[in-house]
């Protein structure tokens, strides 16, 4: 059965929408969540303004810590962007998936739905 996470983003701070999975070698029944199957990003700006977003993979342990999936992508007001495999295929034990608004107005609101 699918599980979901929901986020409301209105600042230009990076938001972790999926954490890095940890592997516990002492517990072999440990289940790894893996990357999401779908990510839905909806520009829910009250005034209808477009928004510019980044979606990236982060690993602070590596020399190159960020890998971009979306960079400076403009989503028109009232529009929704849906991402699915292969865009979302990555090693969830190495990377965390993060989202960032790169342009923020006072009315800016982005709703994110993540499906596993």
């Amino acid at each position: 059965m699918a599980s979901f996470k929901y986020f409301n983003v209105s600042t230009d701070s990076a938001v972790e929408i999926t954490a890095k999975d940890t592997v516990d070698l002492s517990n072999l029944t440990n289940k790894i969540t893996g990357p999401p199957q779908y990510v839905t990003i909806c520009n829910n700006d009250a005034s209808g303004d477009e928004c510019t977003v980044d979606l990236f993979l982060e690993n602070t342990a590596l020399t190159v810590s960020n890998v971009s999936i979306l960079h400076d992508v403009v989503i028109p007001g009232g529009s929704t962007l849906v991402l699915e495999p292969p865009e979302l295929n990555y090693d969830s034990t190495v990377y965390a998936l993060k989202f960032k608004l790169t342009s923020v107005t006072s009315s800016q609101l982005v709703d994110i739905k993540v499906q596993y």
Side-chain angles (χ1 to χ4, degrees):
M1 177 183 266
S3 62
F4 301 91
K5 285 186 181 179
Y6 300 93
F7 302 87
N8 302 109
V9 181
S10 60
T11 69
D12 62 356
S13 300
V15 176
E16 186 173 284
I17 60 173
T18 64
K20 216 168 35 167
D21 283 330
T22 57
V23 179
D24 182 358
L25 297 178
S26 65
N27 181 0
L28 297 179
T29 61
N30 190 20
K31 182 179 176 187
I32 296 175
T33 304
Q37 294 299 307
Y38 299 95
V39 174
T40 303
I41 304 168
C42 177
N43 180 354
N44 199 15
D45 186 285
S47 64
D49 292 337
E50 63 185 25
C51 67
T52 305
V53 302
D54 288 346
L55 185 69
F56 58 95
L57 302 173
E58 181 181 75
N59 183 347
T60 55
L62 297 177
T63 306
V64 179
S65 61
N66 292 346
V67 177
S68 291
I69 295 175
L70 301 175
H71 180 67
D72 287 341
V73 171
V74 176
I75 302 175
S79 297
T80 300
L81 175 64
V82 178
L83 298 172
E84 57 189 21
E87 290 87 6
L88 296 173
N89 289 340
Y90 65 92
D91 186 346
S92 64
T93 63
V94 177
Y95 296 99
L97 184 63
K98 295 202 171 183
F99 173 85
K100 183 176 181 180
L101 276 169
T102 59
S103 65
V104 178
T105 63
S106 60
S107 62
Q108 193 68 69
L109 177 62
V110 173
D111 295 329
I112 301 171
K113 180 174 110 178
V114 181
Q115 178 184 337
Y116 293 94

